[in-house]
Amino acid sequence: MTFPKIELHVHLEATVGPETLLEIARRNDYALPADTVEGLAALYEYRDFAHFIEVWVLTTNALRTADDFRQVVVDYAGEAASHGAVYIEGIFSPAERVRRGVSWDEIFSGYCDGAQEAEELHGVTVRLTPDIFRGATLEEAEEIVRHAAAYRERGVLGVGLGGLEAEHPPEEYERPFALARAEGLGSVPHAGEHAGPASVRGALEALGADRLRHGIRAVEDEGLLAELAARGTVLDVCPISNLRTGAVRSLAEHPLPKLVAAGVRCSISTDDPAMFDTDLTRDYEAARSLGLDASSAYEAGVAGALCGEGTRKRLRKIGAPFAWSTTAQAELV
C-alpha cells in the first residue's frame, strides 16, 4: 500500500546513484575516486562521519552544470514519487561547487529549473533549502543567503547548516542566519546528530531554528526534550542515516521512541539515500518499527514544512481522506 509522504530532509547531491554519477562525471571530465559502479559502491562503506564527509566532497564535485543540477532534482522526484512522496524540501550545498569554479546562478537556476520540471513531470512539489557548510567563511555563508533570497520566488524557502557539527557549533553562523531571517527565509540547521544538546540549543537560540535537521541527541537533556515538545519544534529524523554514519550503534538503540514518548513531533526522511542505500519506504519501515506511525510522520511533515499556507492546506487535504489506520497492518510500499 502506497501512502502519502512528506520528506523534509534530503541532500539532493546524495540522491545520485553510482551509474548516474559516473555518467555525469564522464561528461564533465571529472575523475572520481573509482571508475566502476562496484568501486563507487565500495566507497560508500563509511568508517565514521568524517569519512562520509570526505567521500561526499570527492563525489559530489562531479556536479558542474545547470543541467546536472536540474537532472538531480527531476530524477529524485521521480524516485521519491514512487514511494508516495507528495512534497520534498531538497537540500543542496552551493558554496562547495562555487569553490570549484561553478557560478552561483548556474547552481541556483539549475536546481530551481529541476524543481519546476519535477512538479510538471512527477506531480511532486519540490522546495529548496541551500546549506551553509560548516567551515565556510562568513562571506560565503552570507553569499548563500543573498542568492537564496534572490531565488525565493522560484521556490527557495530557507537556509540550512550542515557538515562537521562537532567542529563548528551553530553560534559561528549567527550573523548569516540573522540575515536569512531578515530576508524572510526559514532556518533549518542540522543539530543534535554528531554533537549533543548544546548544539541543539545553539541552533534554537543563535540561529532561530524553525525546524531541526536530526535533533535526536536532545534526548540526553530532559529539559531540552520538554522544551522541544512545548515549542512544537519538528525534527527531521533519518533513522537509517543515523545508523550508517554511526550516530546510533544500532537501530534498536535509536532515540526515536523516546522522542515520540516525550511528545516531540518527528518527520521521517532519507537524508542521503543513494549514499546510505535507503529510500523513503525503508526509512518509514524503520520508523514504524520504532513506534512512529505514518500518520504522525505525515502530520509532522505538514507542520514542519516551510511552504506557504496555500501549499500547507493542500497537503492537509491530501492526507485527510487517507485511511491511515490501514498502514498499521499493511506492508509499506
Side-chain angles (χ1 to χ4, degrees):
M1 174 185 300
T2 301
F3 55 87
K5 300 178 181 70
I6 292 172
E7 181 164 37
L8 300 181
H9 185 151
V10 59
H11 294 267
L12 292 167
E13 298 98 330
T15 66
V16 183
E19 289 185 5
T20 303
L21 185 59
L22 283 170
E23 171 196 326
I24 290 173
R26 284 167 183 157
R27 76 185 183 214
N28 290 337
D29 195 27
Y30 176 77
L32 288 167
D35 59 5
T36 65
V37 170
E38 295 75 17
L40 284 178
L43 276 178
Y44 295 168
E45 296 293 328
Y46 308 112
R47 295 188 300 272
D48 50 32
F49 187 64
H51 182 226
F52 162 66
I53 294 294
E54 179 185 336
V55 173
W56 162 277
V57 172
L58 285 171
T59 56
T60 59
N61 275 330
L63 303 173
R64 296 290 182 85
T65 70
D67 193 55
D68 296 340
F69 307 128
R70 180 204 57 77
Q71 178 184 348
V72 165
V73 184
V74 175
D75 286 355
Y76 185 66
E79 157 73 12
S82 74
H83 295 278
V86 295
Y87 177 91
I88 296 167
E89 285 186 11
I91 307 165
F92 62 98
S93 186
E96 291 171 310
R97 311 287 87 76
V98 170
R99 284 186 175 186
R100 302 284 298 191
V102 185
S103 76
W104 291 102
D105 286 315
E106 186 153 16
I107 297 165
F108 275 83
S109 64
Y111 280 114
C112 291
D113 287 347
Q116 180 178 339
E117 186 176 341
E119 188 149 17
E120 294 167 356
L121 289 178
H122 303 299
V124 181
T125 299
V126 180
R127 299 292 182 260
L128 299 166
T129 53
D131 250 2
I132 297 165
F133 74 89
R134 287 176 156 98
T137 67
L138 288 179
E139 291 73 20
E140 288 173 316
E142 291 178 357
E143 198 65 31
I144 292 170
V145 173
R146 282 190 284 271
H147 278 85
Y151 281 84
R152 190 168 46 206
E153 297 304 313
R154 299 203 59 202
V156 178
L157 300 184
V159 175
L161 178 67
L164 294 168
E165 180 187 5
E167 296 180 15
H168 297 279
E171 289 81 1
E172 289 184 20
Y173 294 96
E174 185 170 1
R175 194 175 82 190
F177 275 85
L179 176 61
R181 293 195 303 275
E183 292 284 359
L185 295 164
S187 169
V188 282
H190 290 63
E193 179 189 17
H194 292 279
S199 179
V200 174
R201 288 196 179 279
L204 292 171
E205 295 169 8
L207 307 186
D210 296 294
R211 194 177 78 238
L212 291 170
R213 288 176 167 151
H214 297 296
I216 58 172
R217 290 187 59 182
V219 296
E220 298 169 15
D221 183 327
E222 290 186 8
L224 177 58
L225 204 57
E227 184 179 337
L228 290 172
R231 284 173 176 253
T233 301
V234 173
L235 306 187
D236 301 343
V237 179
C238 309
I240 293 175
S241 165
N242 297 150
L243 182 62
R244 297 282 191 262
T245 65
V248 298
R249 290 181 297 182
S250 69
L251 199 58
E253 296 176 72
H254 198 284
L256 182 57
K258 293 180 181 178
L259 294 167
V260 172
V264 177
R265 295 194 289 190
C266 298
S267 68
I268 297 300
S269 296
T270 60
D271 199 0
D272 302 273
M275 289 187 167
F276 294 152
D277 188 27
T278 189
D279 55 44
L280 272 174
T281 294
R282 292 176 65 185
D283 267 287
Y284 266 78
E285 287 173 342
R288 186 179 65 167
S289 75
L290 294 166
L292 180 66
D293 63 89
S295 176
S296 296
Y298 188 85
E299 290 171 5
V302 173
L306 297 178
C307 60
E309 283 308 307
T311 300
R312 201 180 314 279
K313 288 178 182 177
R314 182 170 60 80
L315 294 175
R316 289 196 182 105
K317 190 175 181 180
I318 290 170
F322 190 80
W324 291 103
S325 60
T326 63
T327 66
Q329 293 81 31
E331 288 295 320
L332 302 181
V333 176

